[in-house]
Amino acid sequence: SEFETMVGQGKLQGPMLVQRFGKSIGSEFIREDRAGENVMRIVQINRFEKHATRWIFIFYRTPTGWCVNTFYFDDKIQALFPSGG
């Protein structure tokens, strides 16, 4: 439900995002990191015509499989580099 809420907010903010970033032109997988056997982080970017946003998804392994524990996005592309920009 948290993800659905964020999608709904994204639709409301869509016109503002298009004006600032341009149209969405796809996404790119950046990396996968694991912390032990039960926690995983996936980092990807959403590509726009004028800008990119960084998306981070944290997954937790439950007895029935992986579930999204938390996720967020920002425009801190410099954080994708080892030195943090």
Side-chain angles (χ1 to χ4, degrees), residues 15-56:
M16 180 190 70
L17 290 173
V18 169
Q19 183 178 7
R20 180 174 176 203
F21 300 132
K23 293 180 183 178
S24 178
I25 57 173
S27 62
E28 179 182 350
F29 174 83
I30 302 299
R31 73 175 167 272
E32 174 184 306
D33 304 306
R34 292 187 182 247
E37 296 291 321
N38 297 298
V39 180
M40 175 175 52
R41 175 177 61 186
I42 292 179
V43 179
Q44 69 178 50
I45 60 170
N46 188 7
R47 299 174 59 233
F48 294 91
E49 293 172 317
K50 303 175 192 174
H51 198 63
T53 55
R54 177 179 69 138
W55 285 74
I56 298 173

Side-chain angles (χ1 to χ4, degrees), residues 1 11 26 35 43 45 52 58 60 67-68 76 84-85:
S1 66
K11 287 180 182 178
V43 179
I45 60 170
I58 308 291
Y60 174 69
C67 72
V68 176
K76 297 178 182 174

